[in-house]
Amino acid sequence: MSTPPFSLPQKFDAIVLGAGAAGLMCAGVAGQRGRRIALLEHNATPGRKILISGGGRANFTNIHTAAANFFSENPHFAKSALALYTPRDFLALIDRAGIQWHEKTLGQLFCNNSARELLDLLLAECERGHVQSFLNAKEIRVEHSTSGFVIQSTAGEFHAPTLVVATGGLSIPKLGATGFGYSLARQFGLRIVEPRPALVPILLGGEESAWTKLAGLSAAVIASASKKSFPEKLLFTHRGLSGPAILQASSYWRKGQPIEVNLLPDFTDSPFKFLLELKSPRDERAIRNALRTHLPQRLADFLTYESKGFSNVALTEFAQRLRHWNFNPVGTEGYEKAEVTAGGVDTRDLEARTLESRSIPGLFFIGEVVDVTGQLGGFNFQWAWSSAVAAARAL
């Protein structure tokens, strides 16, 4: 990908802002449909978030993708784009490129080797579509008239009848994330659903800070927030809680609400059943041994002292508490650690089948900048592909 040194205004069929997953996909598809595309990126290199995704192996889609795996003010909005371009469609592209992949749990698909393969594929698709790319395009300003859009930037001036905004959200600012897409939407009168960090570790404070002594320990749990439950791993950290179960729940959590955790997800009877039925001594050692049969040792030892007594009633109540343990987060680790940004351009202002603005013909918003956010497990990449193709086919 290069940055051609143009000084005179350049005319294109469409301009795509942002060379992340959605922007690259949209530019490549549109270019291969015969459109003359300019792709502008304010970073010095494209696809920086792609390279760190999935632990460096890119969880590029999920074969079980459905609208239920996304959250938005309009939970039905994503259906059209997801039906237009499915995980099987993207997997076919991966296979044609010869990229080796594997499936982990819950339908998550990863590159066998490196996320670099995924980025190289997208760049190759742009080259195939003769996309002209402009890196380090800073100080971008957008104007609109009856003749289309004029983009002014440090990379030059660009004219086109259509503009696709694929600038992402606020997550991971060290990689260049900004709120530019939201500002641009407001400039043209589109509404914004308040952005917030999603798929993000949570912070514990006050007495709950004692849990941070377990930093580094993980356990299988069911974490719940706002009536959504996720049976995956929890990880204790030096600042609070993380791991897949907590990251999933964090997307639905709101400040002031608890996150409920079932610490005994695979156990239907009380872990203290044998204590209730036998006449063996009831003491802290007995409770610790009972917990150790179902929980990691450090966690069992930590919880031993949470019991309020040794009576039948006390042990039964303690077992119930272990299944409905409420954590009260004081916040999250913010955009610096959030995998994605929830909220964004209000879907009421966009056409579901094309992602085009209802009020400004020729203006499109795709990917993370839109108020459609996937759960953990490859769903956000699939939204990038699906929304990008929906817009590209409408250009």
Side-chain angles (χ1 to χ4, degrees):
M1 175 174 280
S2 61
T3 304
F6 293 120
S7 57
L8 296 176
Q10 297 295 302
K11 294 184 178 180
F12 295 87
D13 295 321
I15 299 166
V16 178
L17 298 181
L24 288 167
M25 186 71 172
C26 182
V29 172
Q32 291 178 46
R33 295 183 68 246
R35 307 299 186 263
R36 188 162 181 257
I37 305 297
L39 176 62
L40 276 63
E41 167 60 45
H42 76 281
N43 282 317
T45 56
R48 295 181 70 186
K49 282 185 71 174
I50 294 174
L51 293 176
I52 68 167
S53 64
R57 291 193 176 183
N59 180 192
F60 57 81
T61 192
N62 191 300
I63 60 175
H64 301 311
T65 297
N69 299 116
F70 299 83
F71 52 96
S72 168
E73 291 293 301
N74 178 359
H76 303 291
F77 181 82
K79 290 180 178 179
S80 294
L82 293 173
L84 179 72
Y85 192 83
T86 70
R88 295 295 179 186
D89 293 322
F90 190 74
L91 189 56
L93 179 62
I94 289 285
D95 287 339
R96 286 198 299 272
I99 296 175
Q100 299 298 306
W101 55 272
H102 61 279
E103 179 182 351
K104 284 192 175 180
T105 58
L106 306 174
Q108 303 170 52
L109 304 188
F110 290 77
C111 297
N112 281 3
N113 299 313
S114 168
R116 182 76 223 186
E117 292 180 306
L118 177 61
L119 178 56
D120 287 343
L121 165 62
L122 295 170
L123 294 175
E125 290 297 298
C126 285
E127 288 186 15
R128 194 168 290 118
H130 305 290
V131 174
Q132 295 189 42
S133 303
F134 302 83
L135 303 178
N136 281 316
K138 303 183 185 302
E139 301 177 20
I140 294 175
R141 299 183 302 280
V142 180
E143 297 177 359
H144 178 249
S145 67
T146 55
S147 60
F149 296 88
V150 177
I151 311 297
Q152 294 180 336
S153 75
T154 57
E157 181 174 311
F158 307 88
H159 295 232
T162 55
L163 174 66
V164 181
V165 182
T167 51
L170 295 166
S171 302
I172 319 184
K174 68 180 181 180
L175 296 182
T178 73
F180 178 76
Y182 309 136
S183 299
L184 194 56
R186 291 189 181 99
Q187 175 184 331
F188 289 106
L190 280 70
R191 292 166 287 189
I192 299 293
V193 175
E194 187 64 29
R196 67 182 189 281
L199 299 179
V200 61
I202 66 170
L203 304 175
L204 298 177
E207 293 183 359
E208 290 186 330
S209 296
W211 289 88
T212 61
K213 297 176 183 177
L214 299 174
L217 176 69
S218 66
V221 303
I222 300 175
S224 304
S226 299
K227 299 181 180 180
K228 292 285 187 177
S229 298
F230 301 96
E232 297 190 57
K233 287 288 186 73
L234 173 152
L235 173 68
F236 294 95
T237 73
H238 291 289
R239 303 183 69 190
L241 305 176
S242 188
I246 294 300
L247 296 181
Q248 296 276 42
S250 73
S251 296
Y252 298 88
W253 174 76
R254 296 292 187 276
K255 194 170 181 64
Q257 298 178 346
I259 289 181
E260 183 180 284
V261 175
N262 181 350
L263 295 167
L264 300 170
D266 299 321
F267 201 79
T268 55
D269 292 327
S270 167
F272 312 113
K273 183 177 180 181
F274 79 97
L275 292 179
L276 298 174
E277 294 177 345
L278 301 178
K279 296 183 179 180
S280 57
R282 295 184 179 184
D283 53 22
E284 289 179 352
R285 175 181 290 183
I287 291 177
R288 182 183 298 110
N289 290 337
L291 289 174
R292 283 182 174 183
T293 61
H294 305 292
L295 296 170
Q297 180 175 319
R298 286 174 62 201
L299 179 57
D301 294 350
F302 181 88
L303 288 168
T304 294
Y305 304 101
E306 295 292 329
S307 174
K308 304 302 181 182
F310 308 110
S311 67
N312 286 4
V313 172
L315 291 177
T316 300
E317 289 180 348
F318 186 33
Q320 282 298 105
R321 190 180 176 203
L322 292 173
R323 293 194 188 93
H324 303 279
W325 199 285
N326 280 340
F327 288 97
N328 298 283
V330 297
T332 73
E333 293 200 21
Y335 291 114
E336 289 76 10
K337 294 296 179 67
E339 295 197 13
V340 292
T341 303
V345 178
D346 197 321
T347 58
R348 292 176 296 176
D349 294 334
L350 302 176
E351 295 288 348
R353 291 189 62 82
T354 63
L355 283 299
E356 186 175 14
S357 166
R358 293 180 182 273
S359 59
I360 309 293
L363 178 62
F364 298 76
F365 289 84
I366 62 174
E368 190 179 352
V369 73
V370 179
D371 176 36
V372 174
T373 306
Q375 296 171 352
L376 190 68
F379 300 108
N380 286 294
F381 263 135
Q382 186 57 45
W383 172 245
W385 316 138
S386 296
S387 61
V389 171
R393 291 180 179 176
L395 296 181

